[in-house]
Amino acid sequence: MIDELVLKGIKEGKQAFVGPQTVQIDLTGSCNNNCIGCWAHSPFIKNYPRDKDISLPFDNVRALIDDLAFLGTQEICLAGAGEPFLHPNILEIIKLIKDKGIRLNIITNFTFIDRKKAQRLIDLNVDLITASVWAGTAQAYVKTHPNKTEDDFYRIKENFIILSELKDRENKHLPRIKIYNVICGENHDNINQMIDFALDARVEFIEFQIMDTVDNETSFLALSVRQVNEIKEQFNSLSRHIDLHFKELKSFNNNKEAELDEFPGRFFKVPKGFFLKEWIENKDNGEKCAMHSLVCPRGSWNVPADSNPLIEENRNKITFRLPEERCNACASFMASCPLNQKCEISFNYLKILGFGSFMRRINSVNIYEQFYEQGLIDSISCYAGWIYSRVLSTGEVIPCCKSVNKPLGNINSDKFLIIWNSEAYQEFRYNAKNLPKSDPYFKDINCYKSCDNIGMNLQINEHIVTRKDN
């Protein structure tokens, strides 16, 4: 839902009548990983960014959160050049955010999450954890994280499972977990294994993105033509994955871009000895609908109906209920059967997020310059100045993901409230909305290269166009 005050500000042209809907806070520039594609900690980076190894003072973070709550910010993302869990006050900061009723996404490498921290994240009602993994096998993990071991990879997987089991035990669905895999020349062949890893780790979502290279430093990791084609083949093969069920589109073809908006299906693993049986049901309107039954090793199955299997969209879960009379008569029911006393079994299913955006970039004619959405960027206005803001670990406030060289203020010297309503911010809003991104004003941002705010801009633009049509 887009706030009406956001739209009022966009129409006015410079002013903001409400705070940014989403704010990214880079708590620290310190990190315990050296991901090969990182712009700050890669072993191949020679010119380190100014926010590397710097952390925001806790008192300033607390004041920032107070300002954002007052302004009506809906979501905070703890991310940045470093690992959020290296900030000494991370758990206090999380509590401050959630006590304000603000949605929270934490982007982390997940290496610091253990049973105790997992329980704390559940208790604090963290909404989403985005775990940057970049691999589906231990070998690929070490290749993309040279200072890590294969044991580190298996430990991350174990803690994913622990977090899932803790949520199940308390009948809670937060925090949801998304594995984020940045694809480069060193892990491009790992797509299927990444899906398998996510299934085994019992996470809800997985997302893929192309690595944003740093010129003359990590550009050698960029994908080649051959590797791009191999990625497309791997995604095409996923439609035949043994654990892919509930296809939301009738077919999956890389040549039909209309079918690539989202991946056509969800994945989940059934227990050993169980399998799914598909039924084709004819609806009253003549439409054919695929229903599914879960068949147990003893041959019992549920009768498909609109409510069975039960897809709980709010819980990212799917539930099958088998006939009680047959289950209760089975000698192995209480001993080894995974069904509960109600003869039900539930599975968390895995969904690929951002698939349309990823495929749009993969299919871009400008992929090798990383000007993926140049045509889109030129065709719509930029509204980032009304809906998004980012605070670096240096305290600098920047108006979009990539504008690190165009700070508009600093929370270490001014309140965010003042910066958000400053002349510098108003100038950015006006220029972003009205000027072409080739204008000299945007030289320090380089809007055409790997824009991370294009999805937000598309959403706002679609809303404005729909309003005009109505």
Side-chain angles (χ1 to χ4, degrees):
M1 177 68 82
I2 300 169
D3 195 307
E4 287 296 323
L5 290 176
V6 170
L7 298 174
K8 180 181 177 182
I10 291 171
K11 184 177 181 180
E12 189 277 337
K14 286 185 178 181
Q15 298 285 341
F17 300 104
V18 69
Q21 293 188 321
T22 300
V23 175
Q24 177 176 319
I25 303 175
D26 298 5
L27 291 179
T28 180
S30 298
C31 193
N32 62 317
N33 271 11
N34 64 346
C35 311
I36 56 174
C38 179
W39 71 94
H41 299 278
S42 168
F44 306 113
I45 292 292
K46 304 178 185 67
N47 301 305
Y48 292 115
R50 62 185 179 277
D51 55 341
K52 184 178 187 290
D53 296 332
I54 295 176
S55 296
L56 282 169
F58 175 61
D59 287 344
N60 294 355
V61 175
R62 178 165 49 197
L64 170 62
I65 294 168
D66 287 342
D67 281 355
L68 296 178
F70 176 80
L71 287 167
T73 292
Q74 298 173 14
E75 179 178 28
I76 289 176
C77 178
L78 301 179
E83 166 54 46
F85 282 92
L86 276 174
H87 194 285
N89 305 103
I90 179 62
L91 292 176
E92 294 171 84
I93 291 168
I94 292 172
K95 187 175 188 304
L96 284 173
I97 294 169
K98 293 309 302 177
D99 283 349
K100 298 289 187 181
I102 300 173
R103 176 178 163 82
L104 176 60
N105 175 17
I106 306 173
I107 299 180
T108 170
N109 58 39
F110 214 76
T111 58
F112 289 103
I113 306 299
D114 53 19
R115 182 178 292 274
K116 184 177 179 180
K117 282 196 178 71
Q119 184 63 61
R120 187 68 176 139
L121 295 173
I122 293 171
D123 294 340
L124 289 170
N125 286 317
V126 171
D127 299 271
L128 177 65
I129 294 176
T130 298
S132 180
V133 180
W134 295 36
T137 64
Q139 296 76 19
Y141 185 75
V142 172
K143 189 186 290 187
T144 52
H145 304 78
N147 69 337
K148 295 300 177 185
T149 68
E150 293 188 5
D151 285 344
D152 292 319
F153 177 77
Y154 294 123
R155 193 175 301 112
I156 289 171
K157 180 179 178 180
E158 179 183 350
N159 286 321
F160 278 137
I161 295 170
I162 287 172
L163 180 52
S164 177
E165 289 175 345
L166 288 172
K167 289 193 296 183
D168 286 347
R169 188 180 69 188
E170 299 184 19
N171 195 28
K172 293 186 176 180
H173 64 283
L174 295 179
R176 290 184 174 178
I177 310 295
K178 177 177 71 175
I179 289 179
Y180 190 73
N181 288 316
V182 177
I183 306 301
C184 64
E186 291 297 313
N187 64 356
H188 77 282
D189 57 349
N190 219 223
I191 302 294
N192 281 277
Q193 292 92 330
M194 290 172 179
I195 294 291
D196 289 333
F197 173 78
L199 282 167
D200 290 339
R202 298 180 59 185
V203 306
E204 291 93 341
F205 307 111
I206 188 169
E207 186 172 357
F208 300 91
Q209 190 53 271
I210 301 175
M211 193 188 101
D212 186 4
T213 60
V214 178
D215 293 342
N216 302 318
E217 297 190 27
T218 59
S219 50
F220 72 96
L221 293 168
L223 297 168
S224 68
V225 175
R226 175 183 59 81
Q227 290 168 342
V228 166
N229 288 330
E230 289 177 1
I231 289 170
K232 291 180 182 179
E233 279 300 312
Q234 289 175 85
F235 275 109
N236 195 46
S237 71
L238 284 179
S239 64
R240 302 185 296 273
H241 194 289
I242 190 171
D243 291 311
L244 172 62
H245 304 295
F246 300 98
K247 296 183 182 180
E248 288 137 347
L249 297 177
K250 293 180 181 178
S251 61
F252 178 47
N253 188 327
N254 275 320
N255 296 319
K256 298 179 182 178
E257 292 202 22
E259 295 180 351
L260 296 178
D261 185 39
E262 291 299 333
F263 188 80
R266 288 163 281 187
F267 302 79
F268 65 90
K269 298 190 79 167
V270 300
K272 186 176 181 180
F274 287 73
F275 67 91
L276 280 183
K277 179 181 178 66
E278 185 173 274
W279 306 73
I280 303 300
E281 181 177 295
N282 292 314
K283 297 290 187 180
D284 293 338
N285 60 3
E287 180 184 349
K288 290 187 176 180
C289 179
M291 305 297 290
H292 299 81
S293 289
L294 182 70
V295 184
C296 81
R298 299 291 296 270
S300 180
W301 67 85
N302 62 295
V303 177
D306 288 341
S307 61
N308 192 3
L310 306 173
I311 300 178
E312 303 174 51
E313 293 292 350
N314 63 322
R315 302 289 296 269
N316 230 67
K317 185 176 288 188
I318 195 159
T319 301
F320 294 90
R321 184 182 302 118
L322 274 64
E324 290 187 32
E325 62 275 9
R326 296 195 65 177
C327 285
N328 292 330
C330 178
S332 62
F333 178 72
M334 295 302 294
S336 61
C337 183
L339 274 67
N340 63 22
Q341 294 287 344
K342 296 180 181 179
C343 302
E344 295 175 339
I345 184 169
S346 297
F347 307 99
N348 291 325
Y349 61 76
L350 174 70
K351 189 169 186 179
I352 300 179
L353 297 183
F355 184 67
S357 172
F358 180 77
M359 292 307 295
R360 185 170 64 241
R361 291 189 169 193
I362 282 288
N363 288 318
S364 170
V365 295
N366 296 316
I367 183 174
Y368 305 108
E369 296 83 14
Q370 296 196 318
F371 294 169
Y372 310 113
E373 288 99 1
Q374 183 169 352
L376 273 175
I377 291 167
D378 280 333
S379 68
I380 63 174
S381 294
C382 174
Y383 309 106
W386 285 276
I387 58 178
Y388 177 88
S389 192
R390 179 178 173 188
V391 181
L392 303 180
S393 60
T394 56
E396 293 166 299
V397 177
I398 61 176
C400 70
C401 285
K402 295 296 173 65
S403 56
V404 291
N405 294 319
K406 206 171 188 67
L408 303 180
N410 194 307
I411 65 162
N412 292 331
S413 54
D414 289 307
K415 287 177 66 65
F416 184 85
L417 271 168
I418 296 172
I419 298 167
W420 180 246
N421 293 296
S422 66
E423 289 186 11
Y425 230 118
Q426 290 185 39
E427 181 186 21
F428 174 82
R429 292 187 188 105
Y430 179 85
N431 290 342
K433 179 183 175 183
N434 296 289
L435 298 181
K437 301 310 172 285
S438 55
D439 189 272
Y441 178 86
F442 301 102
K443 181 181 177 181
D444 293 331
I445 301 178
N446 194 6
C447 300
Y448 293 127
K449 186 176 187 290
S450 304
C451 175
D452 289 330
N453 295 101
I454 187 67
M456 299 177 182
N457 287 329
L458 284 170
Q459 183 184 16
I460 295 285
N461 189 70
E462 182 180 355
H463 187 86
I464 291 173
V465 170
T466 302
R467 277 196 163 195
K468 286 180 179 178
D469 291 343
N470 293 336

